[in-house]
Amino acid sequence: MKKNRTSNHSHITLTSHPPRDGKIPKISWGAETLLERGPLIASMADHAQSNVIGAYAGAYSIYRAVAVATGALDPLHVPDLHNTAPPEKIGPHPQWFESDRIVSLDPWGHMVGEAFEEYRQKGLDVRPTIAVTKAHINLPEIHDAIRAGRLKPDGKILKENGDIRVTKAAIDPVWHLPGMAKRLDVDENDLRRSLFENSGGMFPELVTRPDLKVFLPPIGGHTLYFMGDVSTLHDRNVPLACRVHDECNGSDVFGSDICTCRPYLCHGIEICVETAQQGGCGLVVYNRKEGRALGEVTKFLVYNARKRQDGGDSAAKYFERTECVAGVQDMRFQELMPDIFHWLGITKIDRFASMSNMKFDALAKHGIDIIERVAIPPELIPEDASVEMEAKKAAGYYTPADQTISNELDKVQGRKLDE
C-alpha cells in the first residue's frame, strides 16, 4: 500500500528562466564579507527561487528526492538550525577574498545558519554546506602505538582509553564554475556542457542559465579531523602535521590488505596526535573519492583484471589494467584539493604524511610550503600491497623517502623532489 502524500506537489515548477520579480540576491564570489557575498539559495521546491544550480547535500540530495516521492519528507520542510552553529571559529582568512583561490567549496558555508535566518523566514531555502562539531575517535592502531611507546596519553589530546579528542568538519561540494574552469584550464562553456551531458541532462540550467555561476554537484564531499587548537591552524609559527587521504572503503573500513590506505591513514593520524601533543596541530583531510574517483565498481573490476592477467598481478601493468577498464588512471583532480587549506588559512605544513607527487605539486603550486614528507614505515605495508606500492613509485604516485629533498627553499620553489 502506498504511503499517503503529505505535501501538495502542484507548486513545483520546472523552468530554466530567471525569476521575474528580481528579488533573489545575486552572488558575489570572493567578496570580503558574507553579507556582500550573499546567500546561496538552492530551493528544493521551486527552482525559480534559486540563485545556484543543483541541490544541497551533495550525493544525498538524491535520497531526499526519493523521500519526497514516497511521502516521507515534506518538500517544504524548513530546517530548524537553532544551536547548530560551529563550536570553533574558522575564518575568515585572506584566501577567501580571492575569487579564484577557492572554487570547489563555499568558505562561508558554516556561517550561513545564523547570518541568513531572515531569508529562511521569507521562505528562501538557505542552508549550511559546512558543519563543524566536537567528537572523539578511537582506533586499534592508536592502541598499538600506545603499547609500543610511540604515543603516550596526555589526558587532553589522547586519553588513557585511546580516545582522541577532535574537532571535525563536514564539507559539501560547492563549485564556482568560472573558477573551476580556470583552475582546470578548460573553457567554462565546455565544462558546463560536459557536466550537463554526462549527468544525463540532470541540470539543464548548466546550459540554459549562464547567469548562474554556482553549482552544487551531487557528489561526495570531505570530512576534516582536527587535533589541537583549531584557532592556530593558520599560524606559521605553530607546527602542523597533515594527512590528505582519498577514500578507500575496502581498506579504511574493512581492512583489505591489497593496498596501504588504512595503514597510511592511521599512521597519519598518529603523527597528527604526536604533533598536537607537542603544542602543534594535526589535520586529516578525508576526501570522498573512492578508487581514485573512479568508483568502487570500477575498482573491483580492475582487481579482477589484474589478478587474472597472464603472468599474474604485476606493478608494470597496474595502471594499464585501470585504463583498460576506466579509460583513465585517475579522476581525483588534485588541483582542487588545496581549497581545503585555503579555507583554513593554511600556508605551511611541517609534516606531510604523504609521498605523493601529485598531492605535493598541487599544494606547492598554490603557495603552501611543505617542510617534511613523511613516508609510511615499511613494516606497515601489507604483503599483498607490494604490487601497488611498486606501481605507485614507478608512476610518481609515491616517491621513496630516500629521493625526497628536505631543503625548504627547494620546496617553496616547487621543484620536483625526485629530480
Side-chain angles (χ1 to χ4, degrees):
M1 180 177 177
K2 293 184 178 180
K3 294 182 180 179
N4 292 325
R5 299 297 187 265
T6 58
S7 304
N8 180 4
H9 291 248
S10 62
H11 65 281
I12 297 178
T13 59
L14 295 176
T15 178
S16 58
H17 301 287
R20 294 179 180 178
D21 56 19
K23 294 181 181 179
I24 305 303
K26 293 183 178 180
I27 299 168
S28 179
W29 196 266
E32 294 193 8
T33 69
L34 178 54
L35 294 180
E36 290 175 318
R37 200 291 304 275
L40 305 183
I41 303 172
S43 176
M44 304 287 190
D46 186 353
H47 291 297
Q49 298 297 309
S50 298
N51 62 4
V52 302
I53 303 166
Y56 295 114
Y60 297 97
S61 61
I62 304 301
Y63 286 107
R64 184 188 187 281
V66 175
V68 170
T70 60
L73 175 64
D74 183 347
L76 299 181
H77 170 73
V78 177
D80 179 358
L81 299 178
H82 181 64
N83 283 337
T84 63
E88 294 280 359
K89 184 178 184 297
I90 297 177
H93 296 291
Q95 293 93 325
W96 297 17
F97 315 141
E98 301 176 47
S99 61
D100 295 335
R101 182 71 72 168
I102 299 176
V103 301
S104 62
L105 61 89
D106 175 15
W108 302 95
H110 56 308
M111 299 183 181
V112 304
E114 296 178 342
F116 293 126
E117 177 61 26
E118 61 176 295
Y119 285 93
R120 279 189 293 279
Q121 294 301 322
K122 294 177 181 179
L124 295 175
D125 201 351
V126 183
R127 306 189 187 193
T129 57
I130 300 176
V132 184
T133 190
K134 297 279 191 178
H136 294 89
I137 60 175
N138 197 306
L139 302 167
E141 289 84 351
I142 296 301
H143 289 265
D144 293 341
I146 293 173
R147 283 191 292 269
R150 297 194 305 273
L151 290 178
K152 294 182 179 180
D154 61 289
K156 183 180 179 181
I157 303 296
L158 178 61
K159 296 185 176 182
E160 291 286 345
N161 67 351
D163 279 355
I164 304 170
R165 191 190 304 271
V166 300
T167 300
K168 61 182 182 179
I171 302 177
D172 281 337
V174 177
W175 289 3
H176 182 239
L177 292 172
M180 287 282 292
K182 183 176 180 180
R183 181 79 61 85
L184 299 173
D185 194 24
V186 298
D187 181 80
E188 182 186 341
N189 290 330
D190 291 342
L191 175 63
R192 284 173 170 266
R193 179 157 294 280
S194 184
L195 289 168
F196 170 69
E197 292 177 349
N198 289 283
S199 65
M202 185 180 292
F203 304 103
E205 293 88 352
L206 285 166
V207 292
T208 63
R209 293 289 306 275
D211 59 307
L212 298 182
K213 302 297 185 181
V214 176
F215 177 41
L216 309 186
I219 61 173
H222 321 274
T223 308
L224 313 185
Y225 290 86
F226 311 100
M227 286 140 252
D229 186 352
V230 176
S231 68
T232 64
L233 277 167
H234 66 286
D235 189 339
R236 291 180 64 92
N237 296 315
V238 177
L240 173 65
C242 177
R243 167 66 183 168
V244 174
H245 192 87
D246 297 317
E247 181 180 29
C248 177
N249 184 64
S251 179
D252 297 343
V253 179
F254 294 100
S256 172
D257 64 354
I258 198 171
C259 62
T260 59
C261 294
R262 181 181 174 94
Y264 218 149
L265 173 61
C266 293
H267 179 59
I269 292 173
E270 182 178 329
I271 70 167
C272 284
V273 170
E274 180 183 56
T275 303
Q277 288 181 320
Q278 295 171 352
C281 292
L283 167 63
V284 174
V285 179
Y286 194 88
N287 301 309
R288 289 317 194 288
K289 296 179 180 178
E290 176 65 57
R292 298 195 295 278
L294 302 174
E296 203 165 34
V297 170
T298 294
K299 185 178 183 179
F300 288 6
L301 293 174
V302 171
Y303 284 164
N304 287 342
R306 283 170 47 195
K307 293 173 182 178
R308 292 170 181 167
Q309 63 189 351
D310 292 340
D313 198 6
S314 69
K317 295 187 177 181
Y318 180 91
F319 288 108
E320 178 185 326
R321 298 310 300 149
T322 301
E323 288 195 60
C324 286
V325 175
V328 64
Q329 287 185 10
D330 193 310
M331 295 196 303
R332 286 175 292 180
F333 295 102
Q334 299 293 3
E335 301 97 318
L336 305 176
M337 178 263 291
D339 285 9
I340 295 290
F341 296 85
H342 295 322
W343 176 56
L344 298 170
I346 292 171
T347 58
K348 178 175 70 73
I349 300 170
D350 295 86
R351 304 177 70 194
F352 189 49
S354 172
M355 304 303 288
S356 166
N357 282 352
M358 291 194 302
K359 292 176 182 177
F360 172 84
D361 290 345
L363 291 168
K365 185 176 181 180
H366 279 254
I368 298 170
D369 302 338
I370 297 176
I371 308 306
E372 177 189 4
R373 294 166 80 178
V374 182
I376 184 172
E379 63 270 20
L380 295 184
I381 300 175
E383 182 178 351
D384 201 31
S386 60
V387 169
E388 178 213 48
M389 287 300 293
E390 292 306 313
K392 286 185 174 181
K393 290 175 184 178
Y397 282 76
Y398 188 96
T399 302
D402 59 5
Q403 293 183 21
T404 62
I405 300 173
S406 299
N407 187 284
E408 183 180 7
L409 179 60
D410 288 338
K411 295 175 181 179
V412 173
Q413 292 173 342
R415 288 167 51 182
K416 296 275 189 179
L417 292 186
D418 55 353
E419 289 180 345

